[in-house]
Structure formats: structure tokens, C-alpha cells
Amino acid sequence: MIMQKTDQNQDFEPFFNMGKGLRKEKIIQFVIILAMLMLTTILNIFLENFIQPSSLVFVYLVPAIAGAINFGTWASILSFTAGFLIFDFIFVKPYYSLHISNPQDVYNVTVYFIVAVLITYLINVVHRQNLFLKGRLDRVSLLEDMSKDLLLLTPMEQTYSINNITFSLRTAVFSQLGQITLRYTKMILDVPALVFFREDDGSLKVWAKSSVDLAITEEDKAAATWTLDNGEVSGAGTYTYPDTQFYFIPMKSIEGIIGVIGINYNSKELFPEQRRLLGTISNLITIVAAMWMSLKAERQ
């Protein structure tokens, strides 16, 4: 019992540490925003002698823009709202109150809020586009790395011929293909997965599993076999064998279905980009595995 409690505390400790780290980061960001507002206010006190006071509200857009770029929407909203309150309290008559009597001040404040909201929205759009492009670049890099691994794995035209493809060599290659599939599938979805390849008699054999203890039920095997026979997805989230724990993806080649990838995930919860990446991984593995299978068939 004591060991179990100790393990549980160790499991929760990183979570609490992460929460403390996030809180500390937010506090630092909040302090930086306050510092920017203070500096802007000091600058406005100096500029008040040279610029019409009613226009000083627009200077508070600077910390709002800086907050939006570096910390996000919440920082921008906090900055331009606090900037308005400081401006209204210090620079607008009657001083040291939140009352605005001058129509020019009302107009400037209205324009200030409209501009602040538009700038925050545009910065958020740019942030989302940057994240989208970064995600695309990461996915392209993932597929590029996978292609390199497959090229290094199978220089068939340089090293192997039909006559020297032994059973042990084929076993090693298909085991490595299975491991490569699991490695790159895990980069898309960090869930248990397994890889089947078709045997000579048409049956399926598990060549790689993400965990030695990963259990496969008879219903899982039936779903995987159905995917092999029909060339369609099945399993969790589909209309075929929906009660199974795995989502099965066929590996299609010109000669037919050569294998199946199973991931322990509901297919309904997959994003379109994840579906495309899983399909691409399946296609790359299929190309290599199909070449080895065709060489073995020629040898036989």
C-alpha cells in the first residue's frame, strides 16, 4: 500500500509542477504588461506637453500590440482595457475619475477600442496561420524522415537479388517495416498500435506491436481480416466491427491488400490531417512491403 501511494504521488508530481510553472509564467507575463503600461503612462506624461491630451490614448495601443504578439489575446485585452482606464483616470477631464465629458475624448476612445480589437484579431489570425504552416512543415519533415528510413532499409536493386532473399532476411525486413510504421504512427497519435502483414496462405500475422503486453481479441482479429479481405477501414468508429478497440487501415497495392495497420483509437475523433497522414504512412509502407513480396514471389 505504501509503495502504491508513493507511486501515485510521483505520478501527480509532474502535473502539479507543470501547473506551478504555468502560473509562474503567467505572473511574469502579467508583471511585464504592467511594466509596459507604466512606461507608456510615463511617456504620455512627457508627451502631454507636446500632443493634444485626447490623442494620448492611442499610445496605449503599443503595449496592447506587444502583448498580443508575445503573450496572446488575454494580454492584449488586458493591456488596452487597462490603458483606457489609466488614460481616462489621469489624462481626461475631470481628472482622477472615469467620467468623460468631452465629445472629442469619447470619439477618440471609441476609435481606440475599435482599432485595438481589430489589431488583436489580425494578430490572432497571423498566429493561427503560423501555427498551421509550422504544423505542415513538421508533417512534411516527418514524411521526409520516414522516406529516408525506408530508403536506407531496402536498397534492393543494389544489394539484394531474387536468389539471395532468405527467410531470415525477409523476417528482418518486415519486422523493421513494422517498427518504422509504429514509430511514425506514434508521432501522429500516441496510442497503442500494431501492424499486420499478409502471409503466403492469405492469413494475417502480427509483425509489430507498440507493447509486448498489447492484447488482441478474436473480434479484433476478425475486424483486421475483414479489412484485409475487403480493402476498407473497419473497427472503432466505423460501421464494421464498431465495438472493437482498434481502428484498422488497409495497406493497398496493385497486387491487392498486403497488410493492415491497427491503432487503438476511435476513427470518429481523428482530424482530417491525421487521416491523411495515416493514409500516407500506410502507402509508403505498402510500396516497400509490396516490392519485397513481389521479389519473394519471383524467387518462388
Side-chain angles (χ1 to χ4, degrees):
M1 292 294 291
I2 295 175
M3 185 177 297
Q4 290 177 353
K5 291 181 179 179
T6 303
D7 292 340
Q8 290 175 357
N9 291 334
Q10 290 176 350
D11 291 338
F12 285 115
E13 186 177 357
F15 173 79
F16 290 123
N17 289 340
M18 181 179 65
K20 291 177 181 177
L22 290 174
R23 287 195 296 271
K24 184 178 180 180
E25 182 181 354
K26 292 295 182 183
I27 291 173
I28 293 174
Q29 293 175 359
F30 182 74
V31 171
I32 292 174
I33 292 170
L34 289 181
M36 289 192 297
L37 290 170
M38 290 176 60
L39 291 174
T40 305
T41 303
I42 293 172
L43 177 63
N44 276 346
I45 292 173
F46 173 75
L47 293 175
E48 190 177 11
N49 299 320
F50 308 96
I51 300 176
Q52 184 180 1
S54 61
S55 300
L56 295 176
V57 66
F58 296 105
V59 182
Y60 286 101
L61 288 174
V62 175
I65 293 172
I69 292 174
N70 295 288
F71 306 135
T73 303
W74 73 270
S76 177
I77 295 174
L78 175 63
S79 296
F80 69 70
T81 303
F84 157 72
L85 294 175
I86 295 171
F87 166 78
D88 190 12
F89 192 76
I90 298 177
F91 300 101
V92 175
K93 295 179 181 180
Y95 298 120
Y96 312 117
S97 73
L98 297 179
H99 178 68
I100 302 177
S101 58
N102 189 344
Q104 181 64 37
D105 292 332
V106 175
Y107 172 78
N108 286 346
V109 167
T110 303
V111 174
Y112 165 78
F113 272 108
I114 293 174
V115 172
V117 171
L118 287 176
I119 290 175
T120 302
Y121 171 75
L122 291 175
I123 291 175
N124 282 334
V125 169
V126 172
H127 275 170
R128 288 197 297 268
Q129 289 177 344
N130 286 340
L131 289 174
F132 178 77
L133 291 175
K134 183 179 182 299
R136 279 292 179 91
L137 290 174
D138 290 341
R139 288 187 282 272
V140 170
S141 177
L142 180 147
L143 296 177
E144 181 183 359
D145 291 341
M146 183 177 179
S147 300
K148 290 179 181 178
D149 286 344
L150 293 175
L151 289 174
L152 292 174
L153 174 70
T154 57
M156 288 180 296
E157 68 281 359
Q158 299 176 9
T159 307
Y160 306 116
S161 63
I162 295 175
N163 294 326
N164 61 15
I165 297 179
T166 62
F167 176 79
S168 59
L169 176 60
R170 177 179 177 273
T171 301
V173 169
F174 275 82
S175 296
Q176 292 179 54
L177 283 175
Q179 293 302 322
I180 290 174
T181 306
L182 293 180
R183 185 193 316 159
Y184 287 94
T185 300
K186 187 176 182 180
M187 294 181 185
I188 302 170
L189 283 171
D190 191 7
V191 296
L194 47 86
V195 180
F196 298 88
F197 283 115
R198 190 187 70 230
E199 294 295 292
D200 295 335
D201 58 0
S203 62
L204 275 179
K205 177 183 177 182
V206 178
W207 282 84
K209 295 195 296 184
S210 56
S211 172
V212 178
D213 300 328
L214 184 61
I216 307 171
T217 65
E218 291 300 324
E219 190 173 13
D220 295 333
K221 294 179 181 178
T225 301
W226 186 92
T227 296
L228 179 73
D229 295 336
N230 295 273
E232 302 291 338
V233 297
S234 67
T238 68
Y239 294 106
T240 308
Y241 294 96
D243 296 328
T244 59
Q245 58 180 330
F246 290 94
Y247 170 57
F248 294 102
I249 305 169
M251 299 185 196
K252 297 181 180 180
S253 69
I254 298 177
E255 291 79 12
I257 314 302
I258 66 169
V260 176
I261 300 173
I263 56 173
N264 194 345
Y265 200 77
N266 192 317
S267 63
K268 292 181 179 179
E269 299 177 6
L270 288 171
F271 293 108
E273 194 68 21
Q274 290 175 318
R275 291 179 184 274
R276 285 193 290 269
L277 282 171
L278 290 172
T280 303
I281 289 175
S282 172
N283 292 336
L284 289 174
I285 295 297
T286 299
I287 292 171
V288 178
M291 286 192 288
W292 280 93
M293 285 185 173
S294 63
L295 283 176
K296 183 191 175 188
E298 290 178 21
R299 181 172 183 261
Q300 291 176 342

